[in-house]
Coordinates of all heavy atoms in Angstrom, one line a residue:
V16 N -3.7 4.1 15.0 CA -4.2 5.4 14.9 C -5.7 5.4 14.6 O -6.5 6.0 15.2 CB -3.4 6.3 13.9 CG1 -4.1 7.7 13.6 CG2 -2.0 6.6 14.3
V17 N -6.2 4.6 13.6 CA -7.6 4.5 13.3 C -8.3 3.9 14.5 O -9.3 4.4 14.7 CB -7.7 3.6 11.9 CG1 -9.2 3.2 11.6 CG2 -7.1 4.4 10.7
R18 N -7.8 2.9 15.0 CA -8.5 2.4 16.2 C -8.7 3.4 17.3 O -9.8 3.7 17.8 CB -7.7 1.2 16.9 CG -8.3 0.7 18.2 CD -7.6 -0.4 18.9 NE -7.4 -1.6 18.0 CZ -8.4 -2.5 17.8 NH1 -9.5 -2.4 18.5 NH2 -8.1 -3.6 17.2
S19 N -7.6 4.3 17.5 CA -7.8 5.4 18.5 C -8.9 6.3 18.2 O -9.7 6.7 19.0 CB -6.5 6.0 18.7 OG -6.6 7.0 19.4
E20 N -8.9 6.6 16.7 CA -9.9 7.7 16.3 C -11.4 7.2 16.5 O -12.3 7.8 16.8 CB -9.6 8.1 14.9 CG -8.5 8.9 14.7 CD -8.3 10.2 15.6 OE1 -9.4 11.0 15.7 OE2 -7.3 10.4 16.2
L21 N -11.6 5.9 16.3 CA -12.8 5.2 16.3 C -13.3 5.3 17.7 O -14.4 5.6 18.0 CB -12.8 3.8 15.8 CG -12.7 3.7 14.3 CD1 -12.3 2.2 13.9 CD2 -14.0 4.0 13.5
E22 N -12.4 4.9 18.6 CA -12.7 4.8 20.1 C -13.1 6.2 20.7 O -14.0 6.3 21.4 CB -11.5 4.2 20.9 CG -11.6 2.6 20.5 CD -10.4 1.9 21.1 OE1 -9.4 2.5 21.6 OE2 -10.3 0.6 21.1
K23 N -12.3 7.2 20.2 CA -12.8 8.6 20.6 C -14.1 9.0 20.2 O -14.7 9.8 20.9 CB -11.7 9.7 19.9 CG -10.3 9.6 20.4 CD -9.5 10.7 19.8 CE -8.0 10.5 20.1 NZ -7.3 11.5 19.2
L24 N -14.6 8.4 19.2 CA -16.0 8.7 18.7 C -16.9 7.7 19.2 O -18.1 7.6 18.7 CB -15.9 8.7 17.1 CG -15.3 9.9 16.6 CD1 -15.2 9.6 15.0 CD2 -15.7 11.2 16.9
N25 N -16.6 6.8 20.3 CA -17.4 5.9 20.7 C -17.9 4.8 19.9 O -19.0 4.3 19.9 CB -18.6 6.5 21.5 CG -18.1 7.2 22.8 OD1 -17.3 6.7 23.5 ND2 -18.7 8.5 23.0
L26 N -17.1 4.4 18.8 CA -17.3 3.4 17.9 C -16.4 2.2 18.4 O -15.4 2.4 19.0 CB -17.0 3.8 16.5 CG -17.8 5.1 15.9 CD1 -17.3 5.5 14.4 CD2 -19.4 4.7 15.9
H27 N -17.0 1.0 18.0 CA -16.3 -0.2 18.6 C -15.8 -1.1 17.5 O -16.5 -1.9 16.8 CB -17.4 -0.9 19.4 CG -18.0 0.0 20.4 ND1 -19.2 0.7 20.2 CD2 -17.6 0.3 21.7 CE1 -19.6 1.4 21.4 NE2 -18.5 1.1 22.2
P28 N -14.5 -0.9 17.2 CA -13.8 -1.8 16.2 C -13.8 -3.2 16.7 O -13.3 -3.4 17.8 CB -12.4 -1.1 16.2 CG -12.2 -0.3 17.4 CD -13.6 0.0 17.9
V29 N -14.1 -4.0 15.8 CA -14.0 -5.4 16.0 C -12.7 -6.0 15.3 O -12.0 -6.9 15.9 CB -15.3 -6.2 15.4 CG1 -15.2 -7.7 15.6 CG2 -16.5 -5.7 16.2
D30 N -12.4 -5.7 14.1 CA -11.3 -6.1 13.3 C -10.8 -4.9 12.5 O -11.6 -4.1 11.9 CB -11.7 -7.2 12.5 CG -10.6 -7.8 11.7 OD1 -9.5 -8.0 12.4 OD2 -10.8 -8.2 10.5
I31 N -9.5 -4.7 12.5 CA -8.8 -3.8 11.7 C -7.7 -4.3 10.9 O -6.9 -4.9 11.4 CB -8.2 -2.5 12.5 CG1 -9.4 -2.0 13.5 CG2 -7.5 -1.6 11.8 CD1 -8.9 -0.8 14.4
A32 N -7.8 -4.1 9.6 CA -6.9 -4.5 8.6 C -6.5 -3.4 7.9 O -7.1 -2.3 7.9 CB -7.4 -5.7 7.7
L33 N -5.5 -3.5 7.0 CA -4.9 -2.5 6.2 C -6.1 -2.1 5.2 O -6.6 -2.9 4.4 CB -3.7 -2.6 5.4 CG -2.4 -2.9 6.2 CD1 -1.3 -3.3 5.3 CD2 -2.1 -1.7 7.0
G34 N -6.6 -0.8 5.3 CA -7.7 -0.4 4.5 C -9.1 -0.7 4.8 O -10.1 -0.3 4.3
E35 N -9.3 -1.5 5.8 CA -10.6 -2.0 6.2 C -10.8 -2.1 7.7 O -9.9 -2.4 8.5 CB -10.8 -3.4 5.7 CG -10.9 -3.5 4.2 CD -11.1 -5.1 3.8 OE1 -11.3 -5.9 4.7 OE2 -11.2 -5.3 2.6
V36 N -12.0 -1.7 8.1 CA -12.3 -1.8 9.6 C -13.7 -2.4 9.7 O -14.6 -2.0 9.0 CB -12.3 -0.4 10.2 CG1 -12.6 -0.4 11.8 CG2 -10.8 0.2 10.2
V37 N -14.0 -3.4 10.5 CA -15.2 -3.9 10.9 C -15.5 -3.2 12.3 O -14.8 -3.4 13.3 CB -15.2 -5.4 10.9 CG1 -16.6 -5.9 11.4 CG2 -14.8 -6.0 9.6
I38 N -16.7 -2.6 12.4 CA -17.2 -2.0 13.8 C -18.4 -2.8 14.1 O -19.1 -3.3 13.4 CB -17.3 -0.5 13.6 CG1 -18.5 -0.2 12.7 CG2 -16.1 0.2 13.5 CD1 -18.8 1.3 12.6
E39 N -18.7 -2.8 15.5 CA -19.9 -3.4 16.0 C -21.1 -2.8 15.5 O -22.1 -3.4 15.2 CB -19.8 -3.3 17.5 CG -18.9 -4.4 18.2 CD -19.0 -4.3 19.7 OE1 -19.9 -3.6 20.3 OE2 -18.0 -4.8 20.3
E40 N -21.1 -1.5 15.4 CA -22.3 -0.9 14.9 C -22.8 -1.3 13.6 O -22.1 -1.5 12.7 CB -22.0 0.7 14.8 CG -21.9 1.4 16.2 CD -20.5 1.0 16.8 OE1 -19.5 0.5 16.2 OE2 -20.3 1.4 18.0

Side-chain angles (χ1 to χ4, degrees):
V16 171
V17 168
R18 176 181 298 279
S19 173
E20 292 304 315
L21 288 166
E22 290 171 349
K23 285 179 193 173
L24 295 170
N25 293 318
L26 297 173
H27 305 92
V29 175
D30 185 40
I31 299 179
L33 294 179
E35 298 180 359
V36 176
V37 176
I38 58 174
E39 283 181 16
E40 290 73 14

